[in-house]
Amino acid sequence: KAGVTQTPRYLIKTRGQQVTLSCSPISGHRSVSWYQQTPGQGLQFLFEYFSETQRNKGNFPGRFSGRQFSNSRSEMNVSTLELGDSALYLCASSLGHSVNTEAFFGQGTRLTVV
Amino acid sequence: KNEVEQSPQNLTAQEGEFITINCSYSVGISALHWLQQHPGGGIVSLFMLSSGKKKHGRLIATINIQEKHSSLHITASHPRDSAVYICAVSNADKLIFGTGTRLQVFP
């Protein structure tokens, strides 16, 4: 069965622009979580969606937002990009709530803000 | 102080050696996860456990809830085990991650 697919894999954006990243979960999985990974801060939780509803949100500014569609695919959007937003963005899908069921991660989208 | 601490930060080993990576946490948890991240970024979930011990091939994970500590063991290490190993705990409705242990296994 196909794994978690994230697109695009690499992205270069200019400060001030906005960006949209996509995550297609494993078929049948209803939960999608997003994470930011930077060398300085490590992995940090952004938000989780379950059945099109945001279930939980990490400690990130409002410039970071997301949504989930009826087919469980999810997008995250970052507006007014800052240099510090350069990171690897990972999504993970799971059957149930991500904290209590096995999570399957995508390969990530590497965002560089210049 | 981080809520999830891992040690060591870096680890080198010769092929065949027994390896232990430790994870300590200071918050209440419902589960603990061990993840493996290879160069390039992809993350694989190795274990999710809330008590006792789990084994998968050459990997063993243990957790002591009273001591708030978990260990990941790799028996008969191999160069393909070279990766970053990350401990994460399920706290309330989110995962809190350790900073990872970078393991290099040389032939």
Side-chain angles (χ1 to χ4, degrees), chain A residues 9 35 37 43 45 56 88 90 97-103 105-107, chain B residues 30-31 33 35 37 40-43 45 48 86 90 92-95 97:
Chain A
R9 289 291 311 278
Y35 303 90
Q37 187 176 36
L43 270 162
F45 169 74
N56 196 12
L88 180 67
L90 290 152
H97 194 4
S98 65
V99 297
N100 293 321
T101 53
E102 185 180 6
F105 287 80
Q107 289 290 97
Chain B
S30 55
H33 306 252
L35 310 171
Q37 185 172 32
I43 290 179
S45 174
M48 185 183 74
I86 302 168
S90 302
D93 282 340
K94 65 184 186 300
L95 288 177
F97 298 87

Side-chain angles (χ1 to χ4, degrees), chain B:
Chain B
K1 189 178 187 296
N2 292 334
E3 293 166 306
V4 181
E5 299 270 3
Q6 283 185 241
S7 64
Q9 282 189 302
N10 295 284
L11 188 54
T12 57
Q14 288 295 124
E15 185 173 356
E17 284 186 4
F18 180 85
I19 287 161
T20 296
I21 300 171
N22 296 299
C23 175
S24 296
Y25 53 92
S26 57
V27 296
I29 72 169
S30 55
L32 183 141
H33 306 252
W34 281 103
L35 310 171
Q36 180 193 56
Q37 185 172 32
H38 280 283
I43 290 179
V44 173
S45 174
L46 298 174
F47 295 103
M48 185 183 74
L49 63 168
S50 53
S51 66
K53 175 177 167 178
K54 285 191 176 180
K55 184 175 189 291
H56 185 256
R58 296 180 294 107
L59 302 177
I60 303 166
T62 64
I63 187 168
N64 185 318
I65 297 292
Q66 286 72 34
E67 294 187 5
K68 296 192 171 183
H69 180 269
S70 175
S71 293
L72 176 68
H73 305 286
I74 305 175
T75 61
S77 60
H78 190 276
R80 66 174 174 267
D81 297 326
S82 298
V84 176
Y85 292 83
I86 302 168
C87 167
V89 300
S90 302
N91 170 257
D93 282 340
K94 65 184 186 300
L95 288 177
I96 305 173
F97 298 87
T99 52
T101 295
R102 185 174 300 276
L103 170 66
Q104 288 184 290
V105 182
F106 294 98

